[in-house]
Amino acid sequence: MNLQIFVNALVNAALIAPPAMAFSLLFGVLKFPNFAIGGYITLGAFAAYTFNVPLGLPLPLATLGAMLFTGFVVWLAHVWVFKPMQDQSAVTLLVVSIALTLILESVVRLFFSADVRGFDIPLERPWKFWGARITREQVEIIACAVVLATGLHVLLRHTRIGRAMRAVADNPMLAAIRGVDAAKITALTTVLCGAIFGLTGVFAGLDLVIEPLVGWNLTIPIFAAAILGGIGSPYGAILGALLLGLAEELTILVLPSTYKIAVGFVIIAIFLLLRPQGLFGTAEIKK
Amino acid sequence: MSAYLVSMATYAGFFIILALALNLQWGLTGMVNFGIAGFYALGAYTSGLLSAKAGWPLGMSIPMAIAAGFAAGGLVALLSMRLREDFLAIVTLGVGEVIRLVVLNEDQITEGPRGLRIEAQPFQSLIAPENYPVFYLGFVAFFVAITYWICERIRKAPMGRTLRAIREDDVVAGVLGKNVFRHRIQIFAIGGGFMGLAGALYAHYSQNISPEVFMPTVAMFIWMSVIVGGAGNNRGLLIGAGTVIMFLEGTRFFGDVLPWLDAETMSSVRIITIGLLLIVTLRLRPRGLLPEPKFTYTKDKIAG
Amino acid sequence: MTEAILSVAGLRSGYGRTVICDDISLQVSAGQITCIIGPNGAGKSTLLKTIAGVVSAIDGSIRVAGVEMAGLPAARVAGSGMAYVPQEANVFRALTTHENLAMGGWQDEGRTQAARDRVYDMFPDLQPLARVPAGNLSGGQRQMVAFGMALMLEPQVLLLDEPSAGLSPLMVGEMFETVRRVNAEGVAILMVEQNALQGLKTAHEGIVMAAGRIAMQGAASELLNSADVSELYLGSRI
């Protein structure tokens, strides 16, 4: 039973870590907490569902399609909404991002109703080891998360474009002075994050269910992981996700599982109050 | 049809109180609140439970709802006083969600998703049932007037002016003394109290409350009201809240005329439209349709 | 007098409708240090930002080695033979020294390796700090990273906005020494300095700005000895 807690926590972390990294990255370039990520994730889940079930594509291909689709939608949102409004206050952008997430959620509801759905994948018996169970999908989620985190690390640390992304997030004015097209890099970051949110939608559909609120229910845990790890620090987000996953699983031992979302919030509240800069963040980022 | 208008105006009353409260908190102190639905629910369930389950008279349960909102507002403000506004947004949103989750899960007390039935209504025995909706509208209007009057008093008081001046600059706010902090907490708490009042008024009007009413969409509608009206401007806000509620309730009417639109479709279309309007408004008129009077502020983007 | 590497004529600029600098004409000769001094609010920093393309020029011409730069955004000005070092936030704090230098060479990645070696030769102190995030460096070290980053594309003229600002008195002397060393490599320098005395002592040419216009210009030594200048700007510091 004890091992099961760690397995579940690991799956949770694998689900939360990639979008928390993406959220951190996005916060770095846009400088406000983007609540639209809930809508993006829901969109990714339903795009993959559409490719997979009605259109009959195999899941890996449907996943790729969902990532491209979500990336494209996030790019549109950037071009039509966030870029033209980038000089407005963080609160205004926040209100706009909440509106956007509700819009996307409602669009999905309009086309798919609020019914709970699932992907077209064969049901398999979970694997058992030392008394713990894990499904094939969960193993795949963990593997994908590890590959994604590694890929993101390589991109940010060891490529020209990744270095520019960090530079723009750090100091857009100086980046422009050094000849970087900051607007282009920001748009690129946005699309990359969008693709990751799309992938998270697929993961959520595999591990949880596909329904319009799937993204919203993940938003607070994602924020919690990102804040725990020090907002703006993609690596901290991974550890934040692991800690959060563990905390959530431990809570379920004593409280009904519907309180899971509250765990994330309580962690956010405690952390913001005690250590506004997060676990690994240095000084507070002032806008 | 006139019954419909009365009901719409009553709902507008709840919204106006919520919007006035938000405008007090955000417009005056710059402290954002995205947990409006939570404060609203807190008021509704406090008064509803005390009345329906503990048998308290409304003369005590409604003030308790106000007190609960006041205490919750004060606590949130006290704990998150030093947070940046975007983090405060996350904290308040979380407070709202946690309140909703508690209501949803503790169904032995709150009846959870089944909904809580509340029989008691103010002055029930004195008013004939056929006149009651009109009476209740007047009852709500009375509280709207009181709320409006108090908000205007606070806004025009010297402290209100000081708070507005420092709202734009948290560095200044940071070096100001404890006195200012205390006032900001007080104002956030008063706002919370008004939201609790709105919740209680709603609970005894609808007589049936359930967690699904208190979704974060409520926060968007109220923000929409404040933004359309122009932040800091209480008169503009009456128009803003009126417009939003007319839109929300008025579109329900389409459901009767266009039968192929079911309730769920209509609610989705409503949210999409409100959301788009909000985004368009903010893009074109960042200071609202009716900006705060005599207070111009331009953001200096490039520090020389 | 040698040929002008940077020549500005009739320049006017500002924010929105507010004009900050007007009717500015100046020349920076190849290999020379020119120092702009003047009271707070004289428009010195704005002038430098305009030349760098960070603030757009309303009118006038900015030529670098004969090529017109006025109206080009900062991203296009970079790599044109001119490099600008802002006063504040002039390094990427989250990036290491090594990565900061790489960002300096963004526009010509092919040259980065050689250029970086050259910067490390010029600032040997930076070599052991290559893997340290710039945010963790001292003020003086950060200033060196900022200079190094600007030198990556081998500019002919360097624009420095108050390089001594925020440095400890001990570091200020060292910083001006660095400016001289960079200049000795043949790079012309146009700098704005609040520390008028040290600035003019380092410079060949001097410009005094007041109320958005050029009030005086001439050889730095002449300005140092000029009664007006010493009374107005150097007074307490001598």
Side-chain angles (χ1 to χ4, degrees), chain A residues 156-182 185 232 282-283, chain C residues 54 74-76 78 83-86 89-96 99-100 102-107 109 136 146 149-150 153:
Chain A
L156 289 174
R157 288 283 154 174
H158 300 292
T159 69
R160 178 175 150 84
I161 218 80
R163 203 193 310 121
M165 284 177 173
R166 284 162 55 223
V168 169
D170 191 42
N171 192 337
M173 180 67 99
L174 185 61
I177 289 168
R178 295 290 159 250
V180 181
D181 188 342
I185 296 290
T282 46
Chain C
V54 177
R76 296 278 305 281
Y84 167 60
V85 181
N90 52 20
V91 296
F92 298 105
R93 302 176 72 96
L95 273 59
T96 64
E99 290 173 325
N100 265 285
M103 286 313 296
W106 170 262
Q107 296 218 320
E109 197 84 338
N136 298 352
M149 200 183 347
L153 291 178

Side-chain angles (χ1 to χ4, degrees), chain B residues 131-188:
Chain B
N131 293 334
Y132 198 79
V134 178
F135 162 75
Y136 205 89
L137 175 59
F139 188 69
V140 171
F142 171 71
F143 281 106
V144 169
I146 290 187
T147 309
Y148 184 85
W149 182 73
I150 295 177
C151 289
E152 280 291 296
R153 280 292 295 268
I154 295 175
R155 198 169 70 89
K156 287 178 182 153
M159 189 41 72
R161 287 202 293 265
T162 316
L163 286 173
R164 268 189 292 161
I166 62 173
R167 160 190 76 187
E168 308 292 343
D169 190 342
D170 50 356
V171 178
V172 176
V175 299
L176 281 167
K178 276 189 179 142
N179 210 16
V180 168
F181 279 123
R182 211 183 64 221
H183 275 85
R184 284 174 63 152
I185 292 168
Q186 277 171 358
I187 281 177
F188 208 81

Side-chain angles (χ1 to χ4, degrees), chain A residues 27 33 35 80 85 87-88 91 98-99 102-103 106 110 114 216 258-259 261 265 272-273 284-286, chain B residues 32 34 79 84-86 91 93-95 97-98 101-102 105-106 170 216 220 271 275 278 282-283 299 301:
Chain A
F27 184 89
F35 278 86
W80 284 344
M85 300 181 74
D87 292 331
Q88 298 198 17
V91 172
I98 292 181
L102 293 172
I103 291 172
S106 299
L110 204 57
W216 175 260
T258 32
Y259 277 119
I261 188 171
F265 164 67
L272 286 181
L273 298 176
E284 187 182 343
I285 318 137
K286 198 85 203 165
Chain B
V32 298
F34 283 95
L79 290 178
R84 278 170 31 184
E85 59 183 15
D86 41 4
V91 168
L93 193 103
V95 169
E97 283 288 274
V98 167
L101 285 175
V102 169
N105 285 302
E106 302 306 318
D170 50 356
M220 184 175 82
I271 293 173
L278 180 77
L282 281 174
R283 234 192 98 165
K299 195 162 147 189
K301 278 189 310 191

Side-chain angles (χ1 to χ4, degrees), chain A residues 86-160:
Chain A
Q86 62 188 351
D87 292 331
Q88 298 198 17
S89 74
V91 172
T92 306
L93 292 170
L94 223 147
V95 172
V96 164
S97 72
I98 292 181
L100 191 60
T101 215
L102 293 172
I103 291 172
L104 292 174
E105 202 184 289
S106 299
V107 168
V108 165
R109 218 184 285 270
L110 204 57
F111 284 101
F112 294 93
S113 82
D115 299 345
V116 167
R117 293 148 200 274
F119 289 118
D120 180 21
I121 40 169
L123 266 177
E124 282 182 38
R125 221 176 256 280
W127 296 331
K128 286 185 190 160
F129 58 100
W130 298 306
R133 310 150 141 270
I134 190 163
T135 66
R136 190 195 145 113
E137 288 78 42
Q138 290 174 326
V139 174
E140 284 169 359
I141 290 173
I142 294 172
C144 283
V146 170
V147 169
L148 195 77
T150 316
L152 217 50
H153 172 83
V154 170
L155 174 78
L156 289 174
R157 288 283 154 174
H158 300 292
T159 69
R160 178 175 150 84

Side-chain angles (χ1 to χ4, degrees), chain C residues 144-161:
Chain C
M144 275 193 269
V145 174
F147 283 13
M149 200 183 347
L151 291 171
M152 285 295 288
L153 291 178
E154 298 178 40
Q156 292 166 285
V157 58
L158 202 57
L159 308 175
L160 305 177
D161 195 354

Side-chain angles (χ1 to χ4, degrees), chain B residues 18 33-46 65 68-69 72-73 92-101 103 192 195-196 199 211 213-219:
Chain B
L18 290 176
N33 185 353
F34 283 95
I36 300 168
F39 289 93
Y40 193 41
L42 193 65
Y45 274 93
T46 303
T92 51
L93 193 103
V95 169
E97 283 288 274
V98 167
I99 291 174
R100 187 173 67 85
L101 285 175
V103 167
M195 289 176 184
V213 177
F214 306 103
M215 293 294 283
T217 28
V218 173

